[in-house]
Amino acid sequence: MDRSSLFQLIQEQLDPENTGYIAVENFTSLVEHHELQLDPSKLEMLFALVQSNEEGQVCYQELIDLMSSKRSSSFRRAIANGRRSLQREILLDETGLGVYKRFVRYVAYEILPCETDRRWYFHQSRLCPPPIFMAIVTIVQIIVFLCYGVMLNKWVLQTYQPDFMKSPLVYHPGHRAQVWRFFSYMFMHVGLEQLGFNALLQLMIGVPLEMVHGILRISLLYMAGVVAGSLTVSITDMRAPVVGGSGGVYALCSAHLANVVMNWAGMRCPYKLLRMILALVCMSSEVGRAVWLRFSPPLPSSGPQPSFMAHLSGAVVGISMGLLILRSYEESLQQQCSWWVIVFSFVTFLLFAIFWNIFAYELLGVQIPPPP
Protein backbone atom coordinates (compact mmCIF):
# COMPACT_ATOMS: atom_id res chain seq x y z
CA MET A 1 0.00 0.00 0.00
CA ASP A 2 1.46 3.36 -1.06
CA ARG A 3 1.02 6.65 0.77
CA SER A 4 -1.79 7.99 -1.43
CA SER A 5 -3.74 4.77 -0.92
CA LEU A 6 -3.25 5.00 2.83
CA PHE A 7 -4.41 8.63 2.87
CA GLN A 8 -7.49 7.70 0.85
CA LEU A 9 -8.24 4.75 3.15
CA ILE A 10 -7.93 6.96 6.23
CA GLN A 11 -10.25 9.59 4.82
CA GLU A 12 -12.87 7.19 3.43
CA GLN A 13 -13.09 4.73 6.32
CA LEU A 14 -12.20 6.82 9.37
CA ASP A 15 -13.39 10.30 8.37
CA PRO A 16 -16.25 9.80 5.89
CA GLU A 17 -17.89 13.11 6.87
CA ASN A 18 -14.69 15.11 6.19
CA THR A 19 -14.60 16.63 9.66
CA GLY A 20 -10.80 16.81 9.63
CA TYR A 21 -10.49 14.61 12.74
CA ILE A 22 -10.15 10.86 13.26
CA ALA A 23 -10.93 8.80 16.35
CA VAL A 24 -7.75 7.70 18.12
CA GLU A 25 -8.86 4.08 18.65
CA ASN A 26 -9.72 3.53 15.01
CA PHE A 27 -6.56 5.10 13.70
CA THR A 28 -4.33 3.18 16.13
CA SER A 29 -5.79 -0.06 14.87
CA LEU A 30 -5.22 0.98 11.27
CA VAL A 31 -1.58 1.99 11.80
CA GLU A 32 -0.77 -1.26 13.59
CA HIS A 33 -1.97 -3.35 10.65
CA HIS A 34 -1.25 -1.29 7.51
CA GLU A 35 1.41 -2.41 5.02
CA LEU A 36 3.10 0.97 4.44
CA GLN A 37 6.80 0.83 5.28
CA LEU A 38 7.95 3.70 7.53
CA ASP A 39 11.29 4.18 9.19
CA PRO A 40 11.13 3.34 12.92
CA SER A 41 11.61 6.93 14.03
CA LYS A 42 8.66 8.25 12.00
CA LEU A 43 6.41 5.35 13.02
CA GLU A 44 7.25 5.98 16.66
CA MET A 45 6.45 9.68 16.29
CA LEU A 46 3.16 8.73 14.62
CA PHE A 47 2.14 6.60 17.60
CA ALA A 48 3.25 9.34 19.97
CA LEU A 49 1.01 11.84 18.20
CA VAL A 50 -1.95 9.48 18.25
CA GLN A 51 -1.67 8.48 21.91
CA SER A 52 -0.97 11.99 23.20
CA ASN A 53 -4.37 13.40 22.24
CA GLU A 54 -6.62 13.74 25.28
CA GLU A 55 -9.80 14.47 23.30
CA GLY A 56 -9.84 11.12 21.54
CA GLN A 57 -9.27 12.69 18.12
CA VAL A 58 -6.35 13.14 15.76
CA CYS A 59 -6.08 16.00 13.27
CA TYR A 60 -6.04 14.55 9.74
CA GLN A 61 -3.79 17.34 8.39
CA GLU A 62 -1.14 16.69 11.04
CA LEU A 63 -1.02 13.06 9.96
CA ILE A 64 -0.61 14.08 6.32
CA ASP A 65 2.17 16.50 7.26
CA LEU A 66 4.01 13.83 9.23
CA MET A 67 3.74 11.25 6.46
CA SER A 68 5.02 13.91 4.04
CA SER A 69 8.09 14.62 6.26
CA LYS A 70 6.67 17.84 7.69
CA ARG A 71 6.05 18.88 11.26
CA SER A 72 3.81 21.53 12.74
CA SER A 73 4.34 23.24 16.08
CA SER A 74 1.26 21.44 17.42
CA PHE A 75 2.85 18.10 16.52
CA ARG A 76 6.02 19.05 18.34
CA ARG A 77 4.03 19.99 21.41
CA ALA A 78 2.15 16.71 21.21
CA ILE A 79 5.41 14.81 21.25
CA ALA A 80 6.79 16.90 24.11
CA ASN A 81 3.66 16.63 26.28
CA GLY A 82 2.34 13.24 25.20
CA ARG A 83 1.99 10.16 27.35
CA ARG A 84 4.18 8.21 24.94
CA SER A 85 7.77 9.40 24.61
CA LEU A 86 10.37 8.74 21.97
CA GLN A 87 13.00 6.11 22.56
CA ARG A 88 16.08 7.43 24.34
CA GLU A 89 18.84 5.71 22.40
CA ILE A 90 21.80 8.05 22.02
CA LEU A 91 22.56 8.92 18.42
CA LEU A 92 26.26 8.58 19.13
CA ASP A 93 25.73 4.85 19.83
CA GLU A 94 24.55 4.09 16.30
CA THR A 95 27.12 2.24 14.22
CA GLY A 96 27.73 1.56 10.56
CA LEU A 97 27.04 5.11 9.37
CA GLY A 98 28.69 6.75 6.41
CA VAL A 99 30.83 9.89 6.58
CA TYR A 100 27.95 12.23 5.75
CA LYS A 101 25.56 10.72 8.31
CA ARG A 102 28.25 10.85 10.98
CA PHE A 103 28.73 14.54 10.25
CA VAL A 104 24.95 15.08 10.38
CA ARG A 105 24.88 13.35 13.76
CA TYR A 106 27.66 15.64 14.98
CA VAL A 107 25.78 18.72 13.73
CA ALA A 108 22.57 17.57 15.44
CA TYR A 109 24.31 17.40 18.81
CA GLU A 110 26.14 20.67 18.23
CA ILE A 111 23.16 22.81 17.27
CA LEU A 112 19.88 21.37 18.57
CA PRO A 113 19.01 21.29 22.30
CA CYS A 114 16.03 18.90 22.12
CA GLU A 115 16.35 15.14 21.63
CA THR A 116 13.16 15.04 19.56
CA ASP A 117 14.54 17.70 17.22
CA ARG A 118 17.90 15.96 17.02
CA ARG A 119 16.31 12.63 16.06
CA TRP A 120 14.01 14.29 13.55
CA TYR A 121 16.82 16.25 11.92
CA PHE A 122 19.09 13.19 11.85
CA HIS A 123 16.51 11.05 10.03
CA GLN A 124 15.22 13.77 7.69
CA SER A 125 18.52 15.46 6.75
CA ARG A 126 19.46 15.34 3.08
CA LEU A 127 22.60 16.43 1.24
CA CYS A 128 20.56 18.68 -1.07
CA PRO A 129 20.54 21.61 -0.82
CA PRO A 130 24.08 21.86 0.58
CA PRO A 131 25.11 24.69 2.95
CA ILE A 132 26.46 26.90 0.18
CA PHE A 133 25.92 30.42 1.57
CA MET A 134 28.67 30.45 4.18
CA ALA A 135 31.00 28.57 1.85
CA ILE A 136 30.50 31.07 -0.99
CA VAL A 137 30.92 34.09 1.30
CA THR A 138 34.14 32.67 2.74
CA ILE A 139 35.56 31.78 -0.69
CA VAL A 140 34.82 35.26 -2.07
CA GLN A 141 36.44 36.88 0.99
CA ILE A 142 39.57 34.78 0.52
CA ILE A 143 39.75 35.55 -3.22
CA VAL A 144 39.36 39.30 -2.63
CA PHE A 145 42.01 39.24 0.08
CA LEU A 146 44.47 37.34 -2.12
CA CYS A 147 43.91 39.75 -5.00
CA TYR A 148 44.62 42.80 -2.85
CA GLY A 149 47.49 41.06 -1.12
CA VAL A 150 49.21 40.38 -4.44
CA MET A 151 48.40 43.84 -5.79
CA LEU A 152 49.64 45.69 -2.68
CA ASN A 153 52.35 43.18 -1.73
CA LYS A 154 51.08 43.49 1.84
CA TRP A 155 49.37 40.77 3.93
CA VAL A 156 48.94 42.46 7.33
CA LEU A 157 47.60 45.89 8.28
CA GLN A 158 46.48 46.46 4.71
CA THR A 159 44.43 49.51 5.75
CA TYR A 160 47.70 51.48 6.05
CA GLN A 161 48.16 51.11 2.31
CA PRO A 162 46.43 54.08 0.59
CA ASP A 163 45.42 52.01 -2.43
CA PHE A 164 43.58 49.58 -0.14
CA MET A 165 41.24 52.30 1.12
CA LYS A 166 40.51 53.36 -2.46
CA SER A 167 38.72 50.09 -3.05
CA PRO A 168 35.05 50.45 -4.09
CA LEU A 169 34.21 47.75 -1.53
CA VAL A 170 35.37 49.58 1.62
CA TYR A 171 32.79 51.54 3.61
CA HIS A 172 34.02 55.12 4.06
CA PRO A 173 31.87 57.94 5.52
CA GLY A 174 32.83 60.13 2.58
CA HIS A 175 31.32 57.57 0.19
CA ARG A 176 28.22 56.70 2.22
CA ALA A 177 25.98 57.74 -0.70
CA GLN A 178 27.24 54.63 -2.48
CA VAL A 179 24.77 52.26 -0.85
CA TRP A 180 26.50 49.02 -1.83
CA ARG A 181 29.42 49.85 0.47
CA PHE A 182 27.18 49.17 3.50
CA PHE A 183 27.24 45.53 2.33
CA SER A 184 30.41 45.07 0.29
CA TYR A 185 32.81 46.00 3.10
CA MET A 186 32.37 42.46 4.45
CA PHE A 187 34.66 41.18 1.66
CA MET A 188 37.61 43.37 2.72
CA HIS A 189 39.85 42.59 5.72
CA VAL A 190 42.54 44.41 7.66
CA GLY A 191 44.95 41.54 7.24
CA LEU A 192 45.55 37.83 7.28
CA GLU A 193 44.78 37.52 11.00
CA GLN A 194 41.31 39.09 10.71
CA LEU A 195 40.46 37.05 7.62
CA GLY A 196 41.61 33.83 9.29
CA PHE A 197 39.58 34.51 12.43
CA ASN A 198 36.40 35.34 10.51
CA ALA A 199 36.74 32.50 8.01
CA LEU A 200 37.34 29.95 10.76
CA LEU A 201 34.27 30.99 12.75
CA GLN A 202 32.08 31.23 9.65
CA LEU A 203 32.91 27.67 8.66
CA MET A 204 32.90 26.14 12.16
CA ILE A 205 29.66 27.77 13.32
CA GLY A 206 27.95 29.08 10.19
CA VAL A 207 28.00 25.85 8.16
CA PRO A 208 26.37 23.67 10.89
CA LEU A 209 23.80 26.40 11.55
CA GLU A 210 22.99 26.58 7.84
CA MET A 211 22.67 22.80 7.62
CA VAL A 212 20.06 22.78 10.39
CA HIS A 213 18.19 26.04 9.88
CA GLY A 214 18.54 26.52 6.14
CA ILE A 215 20.12 29.07 3.85
CA LEU A 216 17.33 31.67 4.11
CA ARG A 217 17.43 32.05 7.88
CA ILE A 218 21.20 32.01 8.25
CA SER A 219 21.83 34.34 5.31
CA LEU A 220 19.24 36.73 6.77
CA LEU A 221 20.96 36.63 10.15
CA TYR A 222 24.43 37.11 8.66
CA MET A 223 23.45 39.97 6.35
CA ALA A 224 21.45 41.67 9.12
CA GLY A 225 24.62 41.68 11.22
CA VAL A 226 26.64 43.09 8.31
CA VAL A 227 24.18 45.92 7.57
CA ALA A 228 23.70 46.72 11.25
CA GLY A 229 27.48 46.91 11.63
CA SER A 230 28.06 49.55 8.96
CA LEU A 231 24.99 51.57 9.94
CA THR A 232 25.98 51.54 13.60
CA VAL A 233 29.44 52.84 12.70
CA SER A 234 27.86 55.60 10.60
CA ILE A 235 25.96 56.72 13.72
CA THR A 236 28.39 56.15 16.59
CA ASP A 237 31.82 56.51 14.94
CA MET A 238 31.06 58.90 12.12
CA ARG A 239 34.63 59.51 10.90
CA ALA A 240 35.70 55.87 10.68
CA PRO A 241 35.66 53.45 7.74
CA VAL A 242 34.66 49.79 8.08
CA VAL A 243 36.18 46.60 6.66
CA GLY A 244 35.73 42.92 7.44
CA GLY A 245 32.81 40.55 7.91
CA SER A 246 32.89 40.76 11.70
CA GLY A 247 29.32 42.09 11.93
CA GLY A 248 27.91 38.96 10.32
CA VAL A 249 30.33 36.64 12.10
CA TYR A 250 29.50 38.04 15.52
CA ALA A 251 25.77 37.77 14.73
CA LEU A 252 26.20 34.04 14.09
CA CYS A 253 28.47 33.45 17.08
CA SER A 254 26.43 35.41 19.60
CA ALA A 255 23.20 33.76 18.43
CA HIS A 256 24.70 30.29 18.80
CA LEU A 257 26.28 31.01 22.19
CA ALA A 258 23.06 32.56 23.49
CA ASN A 259 21.12 29.52 22.27
CA VAL A 260 23.52 27.21 24.10
CA VAL A 261 23.16 29.22 27.33
CA MET A 262 19.36 29.38 27.10
CA ASN A 263 19.17 25.60 26.53
CA TRP A 264 22.17 24.57 28.62
CA ALA A 265 20.61 21.44 30.12
CA GLY A 266 19.46 20.10 26.76
CA MET A 267 22.68 20.67 24.79
CA ARG A 268 24.73 17.50 24.32
CA CYS A 269 27.83 18.94 22.62
CA PRO A 270 30.98 17.74 24.43
CA TYR A 271 33.02 20.15 26.58
CA LYS A 272 30.43 22.87 26.08
CA LEU A 273 31.60 24.98 29.03
CA LEU A 274 35.26 24.93 27.96
CA ARG A 275 34.34 25.65 24.35
CA MET A 276 32.11 28.55 25.34
CA ILE A 277 34.88 30.07 27.44
CA LEU A 278 37.35 29.75 24.57
CA ALA A 279 34.87 31.30 22.13
CA LEU A 280 34.22 34.26 24.45
CA VAL A 281 37.96 34.77 25.00
CA CYS A 282 38.65 34.72 21.24
CA MET A 283 35.77 37.07 20.45
CA SER A 284 36.77 39.47 23.24
CA SER A 285 40.38 39.41 22.08
CA GLU A 286 39.31 40.27 18.54
CA VAL A 287 37.21 43.18 19.80
CA GLY A 288 40.12 44.38 21.94
CA ARG A 289 42.44 44.22 18.97
CA ALA A 290 39.97 46.23 16.88
CA VAL A 291 39.72 48.89 19.62
CA TRP A 292 43.53 49.09 19.80
CA LEU A 293 43.86 49.53 16.04
CA ARG A 294 41.14 52.20 16.07
CA PHE A 295 42.56 54.42 18.83
CA SER A 296 46.25 53.47 19.08
CA PRO A 297 47.39 52.51 15.57
CA PRO A 298 50.88 51.00 15.49
CA LEU A 299 51.83 52.98 12.38
CA PRO A 300 51.22 56.58 11.30
CA SER A 301 48.16 56.86 9.12
CA SER A 302 46.58 59.52 6.96
CA GLY A 303 43.12 58.97 8.42
CA PRO A 304 41.04 57.15 11.05
CA GLN A 305 41.37 53.39 11.21
CA PRO A 306 38.37 51.01 10.81
CA SER A 307 35.84 51.05 13.62
CA PHE A 308 35.15 48.22 16.06
CA MET A 309 31.44 49.03 16.48
CA ALA A 310 30.47 46.53 13.77
CA HIS A 311 31.53 43.73 16.14
CA LEU A 312 29.26 44.96 18.91
CA SER A 313 26.25 45.66 16.72
CA GLY A 314 26.58 42.21 15.14
CA ALA A 315 26.50 40.65 18.60
CA VAL A 316 23.33 42.60 19.44
CA VAL A 317 21.67 41.38 16.22
CA GLY A 318 22.65 37.80 17.04
CA ILE A 319 21.29 37.89 20.58
CA SER A 320 17.99 39.48 19.52
CA MET A 321 17.10 38.27 16.04
CA GLY A 322 19.39 35.25 15.88
CA LEU A 323 18.33 33.70 19.17
CA LEU A 324 14.70 33.63 18.05
CA ILE A 325 15.66 32.13 14.68
CA LEU A 326 17.68 29.34 16.29
CA ARG A 327 15.03 28.57 18.91
CA SER A 328 12.31 28.28 16.24
CA TYR A 329 13.55 25.13 14.56
CA GLU A 330 11.01 24.09 11.89
CA GLU A 331 8.48 26.62 13.19
CA SER A 332 7.18 29.52 11.14
CA LEU A 333 8.68 32.82 12.24
CA GLN A 334 5.80 34.72 10.68
CA GLN A 335 3.35 33.26 13.20
CA GLN A 336 5.29 34.49 16.24
CA CYS A 337 4.55 37.90 17.73
CA SER A 338 8.11 38.28 19.05
CA TRP A 339 9.47 37.88 15.51
CA TRP A 340 7.43 40.84 14.26
CA VAL A 341 8.53 42.92 17.25
CA ILE A 342 12.16 42.25 16.33
CA VAL A 343 11.53 42.96 12.63
CA PHE A 344 9.77 46.22 13.51
CA SER A 345 12.67 47.23 15.76
CA PHE A 346 15.23 46.44 13.05
CA VAL A 347 13.28 48.32 10.37
CA THR A 348 12.94 51.30 12.73
CA PHE A 349 16.70 51.27 13.25
CA LEU A 350 17.27 51.12 9.48
CA LEU A 351 15.01 54.10 8.84
CA PHE A 352 16.65 56.09 11.62
CA ALA A 353 20.12 55.26 10.27
CA ILE A 354 19.13 56.29 6.74
CA PHE A 355 17.85 59.69 7.89
CA TRP A 356 20.93 60.07 10.08
CA ASN A 357 23.25 59.49 7.13
CA ILE A 358 21.31 61.95 5.00
CA PHE A 359 21.00 64.85 7.46
CA ALA A 360 23.05 64.39 10.64
CA TYR A 361 26.55 64.82 9.21
CA GLU A 362 25.82 68.31 7.92
CA LEU A 363 23.68 69.37 10.89
CA LEU A 364 26.37 68.30 13.38
CA GLY A 365 29.20 69.71 11.28
CA VAL A 366 31.19 66.48 11.38
CA GLN A 367 34.62 66.85 9.79
CA ILE A 368 34.88 63.76 7.61
CA PRO A 369 38.36 62.85 6.43
CA PRO A 370 38.61 63.28 2.66
CA PRO A 371 37.72 60.06 0.88
CA PRO A 372 40.65 58.30 -0.76
Side-chain angles (χ1 to χ4, degrees):
M1 182 184 297
D2 58 15
R3 290 182 180 178
S4 60
S5 300
L6 177 63
F7 294 158
Q8 184 177 3
L9 177 63
I10 292 174
Q11 187 172 20
E12 292 179 353
Q13 296 186 6
L14 305 183
D15 187 25
E17 299 180 359
N18 292 323
T19 62
Y21 292 90
I22 303 169
V24 169
E25 296 180 356
N26 296 337
F27 184 77
T28 302
S29 176
L30 175 66
V31 172
E32 290 177 344
H33 298 93
H34 78 78
E35 301 175 356
L36 180 65
Q37 296 297 320
L38 295 175
D39 64 71
S41 176
K42 181 175 290 188
L43 187 59
E44 187 178 12
M45 290 180 178
L46 194 59
F47 275 112
L49 174 62
V50 170
Q51 298 184 13
S52 66
N53 191 282
E54 297 179 355
E55 299 179 357
Q57 292 181 325
V58 177
C59 177
Y60 177 76
Q61 186 59 48
E62 286 188 342
L63 297 175
I64 299 300
D65 289 343
L66 177 61
M67 302 292 286
S68 303
S69 299
K70 299 179 181 178
R71 284 192 312 174
S72 64
S73 58
S74 57
F75 171 74
R76 298 176 74 251
R77 289 193 297 270
I79 295 297
N81 302 325
R83 295 188 299 270
R84 180 185 176 93
S85 61
L86 295 175
Q87 295 180 3
R88 294 300 179 182
E89 288 90 350
I90 306 286
L91 294 182
L92 295 176
D93 290 342
E94 298 187 23
T95 58
L97 299 176
V99 175
Y100 172 71
K101 269 301 185 179
R102 289 201 299 270
F103 182 63
V104 169
R105 180 175 57 189
Y106 162 80
V107 170
Y109 274 89
E110 284 290 312
I111 304 300
L112 295 170
C114 175
E115 183 67 15
T116 303
D117 288 342
R118 286 192 289 262
R119 288 175 60 81
W120 182 266
Y121 170 72
F122 178 76
H123 286 285
Q124 297 300 320
S125 176
R126 299 292 183 270
L127 185 59
C128 185
I132 60 174
F133 175 75
M134 294 312 310
I136 291 176
V137 168
T138 304
I139 291 173
V140 173
Q141 289 174 339
I142 293 174
I143 292 175
V144 171
F145 177 79
L146 292 176
C147 290
Y148 277 94
V150 172
M151 182 178 66
L152 304 175
N153 194 25
K154 191 176 181 65
W155 303 95
V156 296
L157 297 177
Q158 291 183 342
T159 52
Y160 292 93
Q161 171 61 255
D163 290 337
F164 179 87
M165 299 304 294
K166 293 180 181 180
S167 169
L169 302 178
V170 173
Y171 168 80
H172 189 281
H175 291 309
R176 64 187 184 280
Q178 299 174 356
V179 179
W180 72 84
R181 291 176 180 262
F182 288 91
F183 301 87
S184 61
Y185 78 93
M186 70 179 186
F187 298 113
M188 305 290 290
H189 287 83
V190 173
L192 185 60
E193 66 285 353
Q194 186 190 30
L195 173 65
F197 178 81
N198 286 346
L200 182 63
L201 288 182
Q202 286 175 180
L203 296 177
M204 290 183 60
I205 297 179
V207 169
L209 287 177
E210 187 178 345
M211 289 179 62
V212 173
H213 297 283
I215 184 173
L216 292 179
R217 292 192 177 194
I218 299 306
S219 61
L220 172 63
L221 176 59
Y222 187 89
M223 295 308 299
V226 169
V227 175
S230 55
L231 291 176
T232 300
V233 171
S234 71
I235 296 173
T236 61
D237 199 358
M238 300 170 68
R239 291 171 47 84
V242 190
V243 295
S246 298
V249 172
Y250 274 63
L252 295 178
C253 294
S254 60
H256 178 57
L257 293 179
N259 190 45
V260 171
V261 172
M262 293 291 293
N263 301 279
W264 187 262
M267 299 302 295
R268 292 292 181 266
C269 48
Y271 309 108
K272 55 186 175 182
L273 179 59
L274 176 61
R275 294 165 63 182
M276 173 166 287
I277 292 175
L278 290 176
L280 291 175
V281 169
C282 292
M283 293 172 66
S284 300
S285 300
E286 176 63 16
V287 173
R289 175 183 173 277
V291 173
W292 171 65
L293 290 176
R294 173 68 180 89
F295 296 110
S296 300
L299 297 174
S301 178
S302 58
Q305 290 301 295
S307 177
F308 59 91
M309 291 302 299
H311 300 69
L312 304 182
S313 60
V316 172
V317 169
I319 294 174
S320 56
M321 179 185 295
L323 182 58
L324 179 60
I325 290 177
L326 301 192
R327 292 180 64 184
S328 303
Y329 172 63
E330 279 205 344
E331 293 184 34
S332 176
L333 295 172
Q334 292 85 344
Q335 298 178 0
Q336 303 183 48
C337 179
S338 53
W339 169 250
W340 291 111
V341 171
I342 292 175
V343 170
F344 176 79
S345 302
F346 190 77
V347 171
T348 301
F349 166 73
L350 289 180
L351 294 176
F352 172 78
I354 291 173
F355 280 99
W356 182 277
N357 278 274
I358 295 175
F359 301 109
Y361 281 77
E362 293 184 3
L363 292 177
L364 297 176
V366 178
Q367 297 297 321
I368 301 176

